[in-house]
Every structure is written in C-alpha cells, then in structure tokens.
Amino acid sequence: MPPLFARIRPFLSSPVRRVRRCVLAGLAGLVIAMAPQAKAQDNFAFDVIYGPLTVARIAVAHRESGNAYAVGANIRATGLAAAFARVNFRLNAEGVFGSPRLSALSYRETVDTGQRQSAVDMIWRGGTPVVRSQQAGTATPVPPSRAQGSVDPLTAMYRLARARPENQLCNWSASIYDGARLASVTVGSPRRSGDVITCNATHRRLEGFPADDLARHPHFNFTATFEPVGDLWHLTEVASPTIYGTVRIVRRN
C-alpha cells in the first residue's frame, strides 16, 4: 500500500545491526486503528515480512454503499517486534467512487510514533483539502492549496488494495496529502503471466519532508501483484527491494 508502506521502507534499508530498532520505528509509521465507520462487507488481512521475519499484521475493514466508501485498518506488530513496538496510529477515510478514481471527502489521523506526534482532521471541497484542525509533526506543513486533486494516504492504499475488475488494476496515479506532506504514487502498465498480473509502481516524496529524507529516499519502487477471485482481482502482494533484502506485504485471505 504505497503511502503507508513507504513510511517503513526507509527504515528497512538500514544496516543489519540496526534492523530491530529500525523495524520497530518503521512499524510506528504503519500502525493504524480500525475506523469505526468502516463496518466491513469484505475484510482482508496482510502480513508484513522483512527477510525471514514477519514483523506486522495488517487487517483492513471497509464498507461500500452505492458510490461511497469508508475504510479503516488495524496494523499490529508480531513476534519479537510486538514486545518492543510502542505506537499509536489512528486513521479513517471516507469518499466516493469516480469509476475507477476515488475522491476523498474526509480524513482523520492521530499519530504518536514515539518520535513524532501529529493529528489532522480534513475534508475536501471542490477537490481541495480543507484542514479543520491540525497538530503538525512537520516543521513546515505544505499548504492545502498546493494539494488540489489529492487524496489522503488511506484512500490511496484502498484504491490499490480493494478488489476490482482487471482493467482498473494498473495504469493510474494519485497525489497524496496527509495535511502536512505531499507525495505521489504512480502505478504502471500491467504484465500478465497466466492468472497473475503485476504492476511496477513508484511512491515519490514531493514536499513537506525533511531535507535529509528527500536526499536519501526521494522515491520508493515497489511491485503490486494481483490474482483473480471470481470476476474481480485481489491484491496478493506488495514487494519493495532494499539493499538488505525485500520487504513484502502478503495477503493472508
């Protein structure tokens, strides 16, 4: 899931002797709590795997009614990481479908990673986010006026992860705004091999990130893999290479 996955990707590129500390810090950027509005019609779950270790489990719940959606997720550390990770991420998002584009209507986030605290409550008017309240964890938040046409991080994740027809899997892009930082995700052309479709994708940091982060990790490449279930295709894996191994998010059900 591009924006959420990208939050741990830099930490997982660190030297092996720092893996435990970095994985735990990275998990702080992934952990989100299930949105109460998102009473699911179809739950799904993923494991986050780094090398031989399963470091987190993601459970996603969503509701779709007509052209509207609500989505939330719960991500928790597993194994050794669970003994050390102390995080609190709460996000929820609502919006409408534009076949196949998703348009955000509201987004709420409260974050405490142990290193960074932030909170935001946003709505979208005419495609532009309006920040109703904010405790920024970024020194200079990007003004909402620069995020015209954007979606929130959870909506971008949901567009990648939800079951959908084959012609909606790949070849799309989105601007992503969390109230402070602006990024983008671009999902490229599909490649099919039997009953498996893969798309190469890139998550790119644009504005509002620390200068050293932009210099060291301006973008992250990843591959999304889909397999059919009935008439729809499900995301089964997101994988991103690092110099110390591949980070994988693998569907459980």
Side-chain angles (χ1 to χ4, degrees):
M1 285 63 119
L4 302 181
F5 176 68
R7 291 183 181 183
I8 66 163
R9 171 59 167 73
F11 298 102
L12 299 179
S13 299
S14 301
V16 173
R17 65 181 178 272
R18 297 170 55 205
V19 163
R20 186 180 71 178
R21 177 172 60 86
C22 293
V23 166
L24 298 180
L27 284 173
L30 268 175
V31 175
I32 58 180
M34 184 175 297
Q37 296 92 333
K39 296 178 181 177
Q41 66 181 39
D42 180 19
N43 292 355
F44 47 92
F46 295 86
D47 283 336
V48 181
I49 301 170
Y50 177 53
L53 303 176
T54 298
V55 296
R57 186 158 296 161
I58 307 171
V60 179
H62 70 96
R63 182 188 67 222
E64 297 180 6
S65 178
N67 71 334
Y69 67 88
V71 62
N74 177 272
I75 303 176
R76 61 180 177 84
T78 59
L80 182 62
F84 294 93
R86 186 177 67 84
V87 295
N88 184 5
F89 249 64
R90 298 181 181 274
L91 292 76
N92 58 60
E94 297 181 0
V96 294
F97 296 104
S99 188
R101 185 174 181 268
L102 274 61
S103 297
L105 293 180
S106 69
Y107 177 67
R108 290 182 299 279
E109 169 185 297
T110 304
V111 176
D112 183 356
T113 69
Q115 298 176 335
R116 178 176 67 89
Q117 293 78 40
S118 65
V120 67
D121 182 349
M122 294 190 296
I123 59 174
W124 272 254
R125 291 177 180 160
T128 300
V130 176
V131 177
R132 297 193 290 191
S133 63
Q134 183 177 51
Q135 174 193 344
T138 302
T140 10
V142 176
S145 59
R146 296 182 62 84
Q148 169 75 29
S150 64
V151 298
D152 60 86
L154 197 51
T155 289
M157 183 207 77
Y158 186 51
R159 181 169 180 180
L160 184 72
R162 65 183 293 269
R164 56 201 188 278
E166 180 179 348
N167 64 357
Q168 297 181 12
L169 298 179
C170 308
N171 285 325
W172 60 272
S173 62
S175 296
I176 302 164
Y177 183 64
D178 65 0
R181 298 168 295 183
L182 187 62
S184 69
V185 61
T186 302
V187 182
S189 300
R191 301 189 312 275
R192 183 162 186 167
S193 177
D195 284 338
V196 175
I197 290 177
T198 58
C199 315
N200 289 336
T202 300
H203 179 278
R204 189 173 302 277
R205 292 168 162 175
L206 299 177
E207 299 180 52
F209 296 88
D212 59 337
D213 285 355
L214 283 173
R216 290 183 296 119
H217 305 291
H219 67 274
F220 309 113
N221 296 322
F222 63 95
T223 300
T225 301
F226 304 88
E227 296 182 20
V229 177
D231 295 332
L232 300 177
W233 290 71
H234 289 194
L235 178 70
T236 57
E237 180 177 293
V238 172
S240 181
T242 78
I243 60 174
Y244 296 103
T246 297
V247 181
R248 299 163 58 227
I249 300 179
V250 180
R251 188 173 183 127
R252 292 176 53 84
N253 62 337

